[in-house]
Every structure is written in structure tokens, then in C-alpha cells.
Amino acid sequence: LMDPQPTSQPPSKRRRQEVEIESYQNNTPPPKFIKSEDFWLEDGNIILSCDPVRFRVHRGILALHSIVFKDLFATSGVGDDTFEGVPIVTLHDRAKDMRLLLQMIHFRIYCQNKSKMRLETLRRVLRMARKYIVDKVYKEIVNYLKFIFPSTLHEH
């Protein structure tokens, strides 16, 4: 088979969420990542990277709800890497777990619909809320679980 002839046409479009980082150094191929569909805010000022998904959100909102994020953002050197001028913080969490936590922080409707969530989903949110010390979300889920699983016969 012959190689196709080079053309002056631009390459075909990439999938909307797959992005190459253009400013990568050391002649290594640029890493690829997926922009979160729900949490890629154009005016976001911090990017949370949970490979391969990145969330562009507001550091002030995260710091308001989480002591861990507040302390993380207060340290110098946070987000040494950047994308489009926005600092990137690499977290070692599953992207779907971070997405759940961000939903619980940003949208009250998710907190109000706990009865529609599977127990496994509640467990994952509870673990993330505990890890990042998001007290309000943590307490809401614990109180809900105490309500649906009473610990005494009198409460039942």
C-alpha cells in the first residue's frame, strides 16, 4: 500500500473533549486528556486533574466547602503546570468520584436527591467528602444513612 499524498488540508477534527497540550517539552509526545463535560468552566481558575479527566472549576468555591482544598490552594507552588494559563493540580482520585463530589458541592439538587442514589454511589461520595473534609456533604449523607438504617428499634 502506498502512503497517501500530503495535502494542504488541515487534519480532521479531534473529538471535542480530547485535547493535546501544545507546550510540552523534552520532545515527548504531548499527553492527552479529556475535559469534563459538566465541570469545564471557561472562567474557572484551577484545573483538577484526575487522569485522564480534567475539571476546570473555581478554587474559591472549593476552598469555601473544603478545608483540604483551602489549605492546598494556600500553599505556594500549587499547580506548577498550567493549561491556557490556569494552574493544574494533580489528584490521585478516580474521575467519576471527583465528579460526584463536585456535583454535591455545586448543585444542591444532588444533595436533595439522595434517595435516588444507589448505596454504592453514596459510599463513594461519603469517602470523597471525608477525604477532602467537605463537612456539609459528609454530614448530610451520614444523617440520611442514619435515617434509612436506624440503629435502634425505637428509631425504626
Side-chain angles (χ1 to χ4, degrees):
L1 293 173
M2 294 179 56
D3 288 336
Q5 294 294 324
T7 64
S8 61
Q9 294 178 343
S12 62
K13 285 179 106 178
R14 290 177 273 164
R15 286 184 45 224
R16 190 181 94 205
Q17 288 134 347
E18 193 173 291
V19 177
E20 291 182 13
I21 297 176
E22 305 297 338
S23 61
Y24 213 70
Q25 299 174 359
N26 300 333
N27 295 327
T28 58
K32 294 183 179 185
F33 66 89
I34 299 169
K35 291 180 179 181
S36 169
E37 289 182 19
D38 300 331
F39 292 100
W40 191 263
L41 309 176
E42 291 303 317
D43 62 342
N45 57 5
I46 194 80
I47 296 174
L48 304 179
S49 178
C50 300
D51 277 337
V53 179
R54 291 192 178 171
F55 305 91
R56 185 172 177 169
V57 292
H58 298 109
R59 68 172 40 182
I61 291 175
L62 295 179
L64 183 66
H65 292 281
S66 166
I67 295 169
V68 173
F69 282 126
K70 182 178 181 179
D71 290 346
L72 178 66
F73 300 151
T75 61
S76 61
V78 67
D80 289 331
D81 294 330
T82 63
F83 177 74
E84 299 179 348
V86 179
I88 300 171
V89 175
T90 301
L91 302 173
H92 302 286
D93 296 295
R94 292 173 36 188
K96 64 183 186 176
D97 292 345
M98 182 55 67
R99 181 177 173 268
L100 284 171
L101 182 64
L102 292 172
Q103 285 174 329
M104 295 295 273
I105 289 172
H106 285 80
F107 305 115
R108 293 299 305 156
I109 192 76
Y110 287 99
C111 285
Q112 295 166 354
N113 286 337
K114 291 182 291 291
S115 62
K116 296 180 182 178
M117 290 185 185
R118 296 178 54 220
L119 286 176
E120 173 59 22
T121 303
L122 287 171
R123 183 193 67 78
R124 290 180 15 230
V125 174
L126 191 64
R127 185 185 68 77
M128 293 293 286
R130 183 175 174 205
K131 177 179 180 178
Y132 289 100
I133 311 177
V134 183
D135 287 334
K136 190 170 187 173
V137 170
Y138 182 83
K139 287 175 185 175
E140 284 186 37
I141 293 174
V142 167
N143 288 336
Y144 175 71
L145 291 173
K146 284 180 180 180
F147 174 74
I148 62 172
F149 298 114
S151 59
T152 66
L153 183 59
H154 176 69
E155 292 173 343
H156 185 58

